[in-house]
Amino acid sequence: TPTTTQPRASAVSNTATATTTQHHPTLQIPPCPTTPWKTNENLQGKCPGDLKPYKEAPTLSACAASCCANPDCIAWQYRQDVKCLQGKDIRLGQEKDGPAAWCSDHPPHRWQGQYIKPHGDKHKGIDEKDLRTSACSEKTWNPNEEIGQCFGLGDVKKVASGSAKECMMACCEDEKCGAWQWNKELGCFYGGGMHSCQGEGDPIKFEPFIGRRKHLDSRQYKDKHGKPWQMAMS
C-alpha cells in the first residue's frame, strides 16, 4: 500500500476526457494528466498479493483519481467485493521486463485443478503417497478441488492442454509435479506447487476487475523474446 498521504480525488484535473470501461460502459475512469494511464489495456485479472486495499477510496473513480494524485501509486484495480486496490508498478501478462510483481491479463475464469502433493492445512494429516495415488486415479481424482485460478504453476503446457484429464495425467507422470490446473480457453498448467487460489465458489470472484496503470518511460513492456507486448482487448 502506498505510504505517503494521498491528496483528495478532486486534485485530478477534469480537463481531459474520462474513459468508459469495457465491461461497465456507464462507469467513468478519470484521466491522469500528470502521468497518463497506459492505453489499450485493463487490469482485469488477478494480481496475487501485489496490489493492496486502499480504504480511503470507496468508489472506482476515487480509486483512480487518488492513485493518479499519488506518485507512489502506479497501478490500481477496483471490484465491488474488494473495492480499491493500489500499489507500485506491475508486469502484465507476458511482459518480462520490469518488477517481480505481476498481474494476469485474463479476467478470472472457472478452472479445474487439484493438488497431488499435500498443501498446508488443506491436507493436514494426509499421507503424501495416499494423496498422490487418489489424485492421479480417474476413479478418485477431484478436478473441481480448485475452481478459482491459482498461481505459481509457470507457463502453459500446450502438449497437455486438450482436457483436464490430460493435464492431470501429465502432472502425475512428472515426479516433481505437486499441483495442476486446466481451463478450456487458457490450457494446462502444472508445477511443483500452486498458491493464492481464488474463487471458493462465490460468483463475484469470477467477475473481471477494472484497473489501470501509469505509463512509465523507464519500461519497455517487452515479452521474453524482447518484443513489445500488448494486451489483447476483446
Side-chain angles (χ1 to χ4, degrees):
T1 305
T3 56
T4 58
T5 301
Q6 300 202 19
R8 291 181 179 273
S10 59
V12 179
S13 169
N14 292 319
T15 57
T17 303
T19 59
T20 57
T21 69
Q22 177 186 9
H23 295 280
H24 302 273
T26 61
L27 295 177
Q28 298 286 317
I29 296 178
C32 188
T34 53
T35 312
W37 308 127
K38 196 169 183 296
T39 58
N40 299 318
E41 68 178 31
N42 176 35
L43 304 187
Q44 61 184 355
K46 192 69 180 176
C47 303
D50 293 314
L51 301 185
K52 306 297 183 183
Y54 182 65
K55 296 182 179 180
E56 294 183 38
T59 66
L60 183 149
S61 59
C63 188
S66 57
C67 182
C68 177
N70 178 14
D72 288 335
C73 180
I74 304 299
W76 63 270
Q77 285 186 308
Y78 185 91
R79 195 173 66 187
Q80 190 60 38
D81 59 327
V82 296
K83 304 298 183 184
C84 181
L85 304 173
Q86 295 184 355
K88 294 185 180 295
D89 191 23
I90 54 94
R91 289 181 297 110
L92 179 64
Q94 299 302 311
E95 292 173 359
K96 297 301 182 183
D97 73 302
W102 176 84
C103 293
S104 173
D105 59 314
H106 298 285
H109 288 277
R110 288 185 179 272
W111 292 73
Q112 290 183 292
Q114 188 174 11
Y115 288 95
I116 66 171
K117 288 184 179 180
H119 177 74
D121 291 340
K122 190 178 187 73
H123 303 108
K124 189 175 182 178
I126 298 178
D127 181 76
E128 181 173 344
K129 183 177 180 181
D130 290 343
L131 176 60
R132 190 177 188 91
T133 298
S134 174
C136 291
S137 168
E138 293 180 48
K139 295 182 179 180
T140 53
W141 70 317
N142 179 16
N144 294 316
E145 179 181 271
E146 297 296 344
I147 62 171
Q149 185 177 7
C150 301
F151 298 88
L153 294 176
D155 294 332
V156 63
K157 309 299 193 297
K158 293 183 178 180
V159 296
S161 290
S163 67
K165 176 184 172 182
E166 189 176 309
C167 188
M168 176 272 284
M169 293 179 67
C171 176
C172 290
E173 289 172 358
D174 183 345
E175 63 179 17
K176 295 182 180 180
C177 186
W180 64 272
Q181 276 202 306
W182 177 85
N183 172 274
K184 184 177 181 180
E185 287 77 24
L186 303 178
C188 172
F189 299 79
Y190 62 80
M194 55 188 178
H195 60 85
S196 303
C197 297
Q198 311 297 314
E200 299 180 355
D202 186 348
I204 198 170
K205 300 297 185 182
F206 300 101
E207 290 293 318
F209 290 84
I210 298 167
R212 297 289 188 272
R213 58 180 171 163
K214 296 172 181 175
H215 186 281
L216 300 180
D217 291 337
S218 60
R219 290 282 308 277
Q220 294 183 307
Y221 304 102
K222 292 185 176 182
D223 63 16
K224 64 182 180 181
H225 302 295
K227 297 180 179 180
W229 185 86
Q230 181 68 51
M231 176 179 178
M233 298 290 283
S234 57

